[in-house]
Amino acid sequence: RLSFSIDKGDFVFLVGPTGSGKTTIFRLIIRDLLPTEGEILIGDIDVLKLPGKKVRQLRRNVGVIFQDLKLLHDRTVGENVMLPLQFSGVSETDSKSRAEEVLTSVGLGHTFEKFPQQLSGGERQRVAIARALVFDPEVILADEPTGNLDRASADGLLQALSDHRDRGGCIVIVTHDERIAAWADSHLVVMS
């Protein structure tokens, strides 16, 4: 049994060893899994009672950075960031404008026409952040986002997420790396 709350502007790390349930918590929040009991609330939304057709709307309010990034290698960086907008019915012109804005905010405005394989690992991580930020969600969930990065790239990624937090969002990072959990003024949820 686990109970915790996260407020707007919080930077939270879920830490613990492999197999402790960190990624399961992550999947419960985005309703990729359903619990057998309990409740999950995001603002006024009861995630468990949300009709299936509203799950997409929930996920627009929860930006996700997957451990394996899930970038499409047959699409440009710009197209990767535009994709969630286009799936939601945003025009190509508006999608492109928003994607350019978000890529610029993470320092990658110059990569719009490049393909992911032309970028460094740290740059690909920032593309994933840009895609997660494209709807300006209330919550950002990141699953092991610094796992394959050197310290400088990890610090840059955490700074980009911190900038979103400073604009009123909250950040939840699932990690087994307790050294990054000391970053900034974050809260720690330790799982065992």
Side-chain angles (χ1 to χ4, degrees):
R1 183 168 272 247
L2 178 67
S3 178
F4 62 92
S5 64
I6 301 168
D7 294 321
K8 282 188 174 186
D10 278 353
F11 207 120
V12 177
F13 288 94
L14 295 177
V15 299
T18 300
S20 63
K22 301 178 306 295
T23 299
T24 299
I25 296 297
F26 173 87
R27 292 181 65 201
L28 288 165
I29 292 170
I30 63 170
R31 198 174 150 167
D32 191 32
L33 292 176
L34 294 173
T36 54
E37 61 181 79
E39 64 182 5
I40 301 168
L41 302 172
I42 298 179
D44 295 332
I45 299 169
D46 185 334
V47 173
L48 306 181
K49 294 179 181 171
L50 196 64
K53 62 185 177 188
K54 298 267 188 175
V55 171
R56 180 179 268 174
Q57 185 177 356
L58 165 75
R59 291 180 181 169
R60 287 178 70 171
N61 221 12
V62 179
V64 181
I65 304 167
F66 296 98
Q67 185 174 5
D68 63 1
L69 303 183
K70 299 201 183 297
L71 297 178
L72 302 174
H73 294 286
D74 63 337
R75 301 202 183 205
T76 66
V77 166
E79 289 168 335
N80 268 279
V81 176
M82 291 170 59
L83 203 57
L85 295 167
Q86 292 176 318
F87 279 150
S88 295
V90 176
S91 73
E92 184 162 348
T93 302
D94 290 344
S95 294
K96 184 175 182 183
S97 175
R98 178 65 180 147
E100 288 172 339
E101 176 186 334
V102 176
L103 282 165
T104 298
S105 77
V106 297
L108 293 176
H110 64 285
T111 66
F112 195 89
E113 295 298 330
K114 291 186 177 185
F115 286 88
Q117 58 269 29
Q118 294 175 290
L119 305 180
S120 70
E123 288 171 325
R124 286 193 296 269
Q125 288 282 41
R126 286 188 282 156
V127 172
I129 291 172
R131 187 182 53 208
L133 292 173
V134 78
F135 286 116
D136 197 24
E138 291 180 39
V139 180
I140 296 284
L141 297 175
D143 192 3
E144 300 283 2
T146 60
N148 297 321
L149 299 180
D150 60 51
R151 186 63 183 193
S153 296
D155 286 346
L157 179 140
L158 292 171
Q159 185 59 55
L161 292 173
S162 183
D163 292 345
H164 180 69
R165 184 223 18 215
D166 292 345
R167 293 189 303 274
C170 73
I171 312 298
V172 181
I173 295 180
V174 173
T175 187
H176 69 277
D177 186 354
E178 292 189 37
R179 69 183 172 89
I180 69 162
W183 198 86
D185 54 337
S186 59
H187 300 285
L188 196 61
V189 176
V190 180
M191 301 178 69
S192 54

